[in-house]
Amino acid sequence: MSDEKPTTVWADEDYVAAENRSFLSRLYTGTGAFEIVSKRKTWYAISALIMLICILSMVFRGFTPGIDFEGGTQVSLPAASSSITTDSVSQVFADTLGQDPEAVQTAGAGSSATIQLRTETMSPEDATRLAHALADKFKPDITIADVSSSDVSSTWGAEITRKMVIALLVFLVVVFVYIAVRFDREMSAAALVSLLFDVVATAGVYSLVGWEVTPAMVIGLLTVLGFSVYDTVVVFDKVEENTRSVFATSRRTYGEQTNLAVNQTLMRSINTTVISVLPIIALIVIAVVMLGVGTLKDLALIQLVGVVVGTYSSVFLASPVLVSLKERRKDVKRHTAKVLARREKVASA
C-alpha cells in the first residue's frame, strides 16, 4: 500500500481568502484578501472628494489658456549669456511697454537655449520697440536680428478645442458600444463613470498646478483615457470569467466574485502602471529638468497624472460601480440572499 497522500484538488467553490498571509504574498497571489468591492462606499467617498476638489479648482481657479488657444504674440530670443534670464526679459518688457508679459519660460539647454515670451497681440510698432529694447539691454550678446516675434490667431485654438470635444465624444460613444457588445450594459455604464472621473480628476490637477493648456495637453488627455479603458477592460474580462456561472453555486455572491477578479488583476495593474510611469518620469527628468525643454512638461504632466488616475479608477471605481449596478437586478438580489441564507444555516449548524 502506497504511503503517498492523495493530491487535494481545490475547486472554485472551496476558495478561502488568505487573509493571514503577508501583504506582498496576498498581492502577488491574488487570493481575494483585499476587500475592495465590499468597501465601495469608502472608495465612492474618496472619489467624490477628489472630484469636488477638482471641480472647485476648475470653477474658481480655472485654466491658463496657452497662446494656441487664446491667441497673441510670442517673442523669442537666445539665452546667449547668464544675464539673459526670464526675470530680466520680463523687466525689459515691462519697462518698454508698461505692462507685464503673460508668460515667460526657457526652452532648450546649453547653446540652443531660448527665452520665450508670450503676451497679447502686439502691434508691429510695439514689437519693433521691444526688439530694440532687448538688443540694447543685452548687447553685445544679442542683436535685433536675434529677436523674433510671431502672431498666433485664437481661431486656431478654437478649432483645436472643437476637434478635441468631438474626438472625446466619439471616443466615449465607441467605448460604450464596444463594452456593451463585448460584455454588457452595466459594465459599459461603469466604464463611462470611470472615464468621467479620469477626465475631471486629470483636468482638475492641471488646473491646480496652473500650467498653460496647450495642444500637447489635449493630446495627452486623450492618450491616458485610452490607457484607462484598456486597464478597465482587462479587469472586466476577469470579472466576466469569474461570474460566468455565479448563479450555479451558492458559495459566493456576485460582489465577492468581482472582488476576487480585482484581486487577481491587481498586481498586473500595478506592474502596467509602473512600466508606464517610468518613461514619463524619465521624460520629466531628462527633457524638462536636464535639457530644459519646457514645451514637453505639459505632455509629461498630463500623462503622469492620467496614468495614475486611470489605474485608480479601473480598480477602485469601475468594479465597485459595476457591482452596485448589478445588485439592482432581481436575479442578483435573489442569488445574494440565497448565499447569505446558506451561510447563516451553516453557521447555526
Side-chain angles (χ1 to χ4, degrees), residues 161-344:
T161 304
R162 186 182 68 85
K163 291 182 178 180
M164 179 199 71
V165 173
I166 294 175
L168 181 59
L169 293 176
V170 171
F171 176 80
L172 294 177
V173 170
V174 171
V175 168
F176 181 84
V177 173
Y178 170 77
I179 296 181
V181 173
R182 172 63 179 83
F183 299 106
D184 55 41
R185 289 177 297 177
E186 287 89 354
M187 287 187 176
S188 184
L192 286 185
V193 171
S194 175
L195 285 177
L196 177 63
F197 174 83
D198 295 338
V199 173
V200 175
T202 306
V205 171
Y206 213 88
S207 173
L208 288 169
V209 174
W211 287 1
E212 289 186 351
V213 178
T214 63
M217 177 264 189
V218 175
I219 296 171
L221 179 61
L222 296 176
T223 302
V224 296
L225 288 181
F227 172 87
S228 177
V229 170
Y230 169 74
D231 201 39
T232 301
V233 167
V234 170
V235 176
F236 281 178
D237 186 68
K238 192 63 179 177
V239 171
E240 184 192 37
E241 178 184 337
N242 286 4
T243 59
R244 188 170 296 140
S245 57
V246 65
F247 296 145
T249 176
S250 59
R251 298 283 181 173
R252 275 175 287 171
T253 65
Y254 185 94
E256 291 168 344
Q257 288 287 68
T258 302
N259 187 75
L260 175 60
V262 174
N263 277 263
Q264 290 171 334
T265 57
L266 185 58
M267 194 62 222
R268 181 203 165 281
S269 297
I270 294 175
N271 289 335
T272 304
T273 302
V274 172
I275 293 173
S276 301
V277 164
L278 288 178
I280 300 174
I281 295 178
L283 176 65
I284 296 175
V285 173
I286 297 176
V288 179
V289 178
M290 298 178 61
L291 300 181
V293 185
T295 54
L296 291 178
K297 68 180 183 181
D298 309 321
L299 180 61
L301 175 65
I302 201 72
Q303 288 188 337
L304 179 62
V305 175
V307 167
V308 175
V309 169
T311 302
Y312 168 84
S313 65
S314 63
V315 174
F316 299 102
L317 189 59
S319 296
V321 169
L322 171 64
V323 174
S324 296
L325 294 175
K326 287 288 187 180
E327 289 185 344
R328 299 174 63 182
R329 291 172 40 174
K330 293 182 179 180
D331 55 348
V332 176
K333 287 182 179 179
R334 285 195 301 267
H335 179 260
T336 301
K338 179 181 176 182
V339 173
L340 297 180
R342 177 186 178 278
R343 289 177 182 173
E344 289 182 2

Side-chain angles (χ1 to χ4, degrees), residues 97-134:
L97 301 180
Q99 62 182 7
D100 294 327
E102 293 186 4
V104 183
Q105 66 178 8
T106 303
S111 59
S112 61
T114 61
I115 304 293
Q116 296 180 352
L117 179 150
R118 184 176 69 83
T119 182
E120 298 178 355
T121 303
M122 294 190 299
S123 63
E125 293 78 13
D126 288 341
T128 302
R129 287 172 53 201
L130 179 62
H132 280 281
L134 291 171

Side-chain angles (χ1 to χ4, degrees), residues 30-50:
T31 53
F34 296 106
E35 294 295 339
I36 297 174
V37 172
S38 62
K39 298 180 180 179
R40 55 186 178 274
K41 291 184 178 180
T42 301
W43 300 117
Y44 290 163
I46 294 174
S47 302
L49 178 61
I50 294 174

